[in-house]
Amino acid sequence: MDKLLIEGAARLRGEVAISGAKNAALPLLCAALLTREPVRFTNVPRLNDIDTLLRLLARMGVQCEREGETVTLDAAQITEPVAPYEMVKTMRASILVLGPLLARCGEARVSLPGGCAIGARPVDQHIRGLQAMGAQVSVEHGYVHAVASRLKGARLVTEMVTVTGTANLMMAATMADGESVIENAAREPEIVDLANCLTAMGARIEGAGTDVIRVRGVERLHGATHRIMPDRIETGTYLCAIAATGGEARLTHTSATYLDSVVDKLVEAGCEITTEADAIHLRAPRRLKAVDVRTAPYPAFPTDMQAQFMAINTVAEGSAVIRETIFENRFMHAVELQRLGADIAIDGNTAVVRGVARLEGATVMATDLRASASLVIAGLVAEDETVIERIYHLDRGYERLEDKLGALGAKVRRVN
């Protein structure tokens, strides 16, 4: 199993390009199930989660072609509308095939998903929404089995804000009979990106980016070409890495448009940030100031950036309070950061981080995707060598991490 070796205490400097967004690409690739015509995606990142989903789609009969950052999917023939456990267990986003398969084929059988152990992420909101649209849904032997000759437009109110639930219901509604209204919808930029692609395919969608989305069903969708948005979480992670090391660098092929809350916190920590249409430049002080963080649904501070800010707070001046309101088990990285010398106290969903003068290299273990990113940041500022085990989590969401960090001057290498 691969490990990551980091020789810390080097300031990051230079320029690096940001990849396409994983959290946008996964639902977008599933959207290709809605049409018999080819759909072409550009700016697709090379990540394990993307590879897993493409294998799943191919198993269903979808023709998948990849050339560099371009993926073309042809779902003219869906031979088996089933997502089996052996292909789903490592990736929760596989539940996103449920809505498109049901809308297109009238039936879907999808295994209950696996993925990161960061807390309960139930699919009941997906199921209730599809039932409101007239589907017969049962959960049996670990599978969600849904049947509907044609879905019907309905008022869909989710009890909690759910990004994958909003995406699933929006895709299902594109070919339903009549209008569907999704209330308490997720407002994330990835939802807007999905809506833009579906619109290019012939869907009729209004309100994406707000908490009420209206979808007027159509008889069929057609092919399209769509460029996937830049990854705002990868962007935020590199900004935190540069800031933690007291560095100065420019990130290209990205935008601060979707990162207001993250940028505001980095400025509060003492960083100078200059934004361009498709680039962000950050200059950090020698030592950051500690900043409080409270996670909440977009446009508030993202839960996917909580671990990275915990890492930069470990070496910042002062103390910070971090409150996690999205997932109940997302402080597992704190114990690993403590192995590097961090001063962190956990009480339920609240962490108090007191900045220390320095961290020391040690062997640590990644527990989930964003936790692994926090360990990389901590390793970059720690003295001596840090070894991060179980980095398959990193490979799910960060493309060529060691190469990109190397371009900024970091000493990072992958070993078996």
Side-chain angles (χ1 to χ4, degrees):
M1 190 175 294
D2 286 358
K3 303 178 182 180
L4 211 61
L5 270 61
I6 303 175
E7 294 182 34
R11 294 184 181 180
L12 299 188
R13 298 183 182 277
E15 183 174 290
V16 71
I18 297 299
S19 301
K22 176 189 84 109
N23 289 342
L26 294 172
L28 284 165
L29 296 174
C30 294
L33 292 167
L34 290 164
T35 178
R36 295 179 178 276
E37 300 179 15
V39 184
R40 181 172 175 263
F41 300 98
T42 62
N43 200 34
V44 182
R46 284 197 171 275
L47 301 169
N48 284 355
D49 274 10
I50 299 295
D51 293 341
T52 298
L53 182 59
L54 291 177
R55 288 196 300 271
L56 175 60
L57 294 175
R59 188 186 188 282
M60 295 176 181
V62 179
Q63 298 297 311
C64 306
E65 294 183 6
R66 175 154 200 166
E67 184 175 349
E69 295 182 349
T70 299
V71 171
T72 302
L73 301 179
D74 187 344
Q77 299 293 328
I78 299 177
T79 56
E80 191 175 8
V82 177
Y85 174 73
E86 61 269 19
M87 299 194 72
V88 166
K89 61 184 179 181
T90 62
M91 187 181 66
R92 299 195 64 87
S94 54
I95 194 67
L96 287 164
V97 303
L98 180 61
L101 283 177
L102 184 58
R104 167 81 182 279
C105 304
E107 183 175 9
R109 194 163 177 267
V110 180
S111 172
L112 291 171
C116 293
I118 60 172
R121 288 188 279 184
V123 299
D124 60 322
Q125 303 301 307
H126 307 238
I127 293 173
R128 290 175 185 173
L130 294 174
Q131 288 174 327
M133 298 171 74
Q136 295 181 349
V137 186
S138 60
V139 179
E140 49 195 30
H141 306 295
Y143 280 78
V144 178
H145 184 208
V147 179
S149 56
R150 186 181 181 187
L151 295 171
K152 299 183 182 300
R155 179 172 176 249
L156 310 172
V157 183
T158 59
E159 294 179 356
M160 64 187 74
V161 178
T162 162
V163 179
T164 54
T166 299
N168 230 343
L169 296 178
M170 185 165 63
M171 287 189 283
T174 57
M175 293 197 294
D177 182 14
E179 183 180 75
S180 297
V181 180
I182 306 172
E183 299 183 18
N184 199 28
R187 299 163 60 186
E188 271 73 1
E190 292 81 6
I191 293 295
V192 177
D193 205 29
L194 174 61
N196 290 340
C197 178
L198 292 171
T199 300
M201 294 168 64
R204 299 169 62 186
I205 301 173
E206 297 178 353
T210 74
D211 59 0
V212 179
I213 299 175
R214 298 180 180 275
V215 185
R216 170 67 66 174
V218 297
E219 287 290 333
R220 62 183 59 84
L221 298 179
H222 53 72
T225 297
H226 181 80
R227 180 175 177 82
I228 293 170
M229 65 175 282
D231 196 314
R232 61 191 175 100
I233 305 302
E234 184 191 26
T235 301
T237 299
Y238 280 100
L239 289 175
C240 284
I242 298 160
T245 63
E248 180 178 355
R250 184 171 178 264
L251 306 183
T252 62
H253 299 174
T254 188
S255 170
T257 303
Y258 317 119
L259 283 168
D260 286 345
S261 59
V262 172
V263 169
D264 288 347
K265 286 296 178 182
L266 287 169
V267 171
E268 184 182 340
C271 297
E272 297 179 19
I273 296 180
T274 305
T275 63
E276 306 169 34
D278 61 352
I280 305 172
H281 179 272
L282 181 144
R283 178 187 291 114
R286 285 191 172 273
R287 191 177 187 190
L288 300 171
K289 300 174 184 176
V291 291
D292 296 338
V293 165
R294 182 183 185 277
T295 66
Y298 187 87
F301 191 91
T303 182
D304 279 354
M305 286 300 303
Q306 175 259 109
Q308 296 89 316
F309 268 78
M310 183 178 288
I312 68 174
N313 276 326
T314 62
V315 291
E317 181 180 358
S319 299
V321 177
I322 297 177
R323 291 184 174 87
E324 173 60 56
T325 72
I326 307 297
F327 296 119
E328 73 276 11
N329 195 27
R330 207 168 196 179
F331 282 154
M332 291 186 290
H333 48 279
V335 176
E336 301 301 312
L337 290 171
Q338 288 170 341
R339 288 181 52 79
L340 299 173
D343 184 352
I344 306 171
I346 305 293
D347 183 11
N349 68 341
T350 301
V352 177
V353 186
R354 297 175 178 85
V356 297
R358 63 190 179 93
L359 300 178
E360 295 180 349
T363 298
V364 292
M365 180 179 67
T367 54
D368 64 67
L369 172 55
R370 305 309 173 185
S372 60
S374 76
L375 299 180
V376 170
I377 293 170
L380 290 170
V381 300
E383 295 181 358
D384 300 321
E385 186 177 81
T386 297
V387 180
I388 304 177
E389 298 182 342
R390 292 174 62 177
I391 61 169
Y392 57 84
H393 287 295
L394 274 172
D395 294 334
R396 290 182 50 230
Y398 293 96
E399 183 178 31
R400 299 185 300 107
L401 178 80
E402 58 267 39
D403 294 338
K404 291 186 178 185
L405 287 174
L408 296 174
K411 296 180 179 179
V412 181
R413 60 191 176 95
R414 182 183 295 249
V415 297
N416 292 121

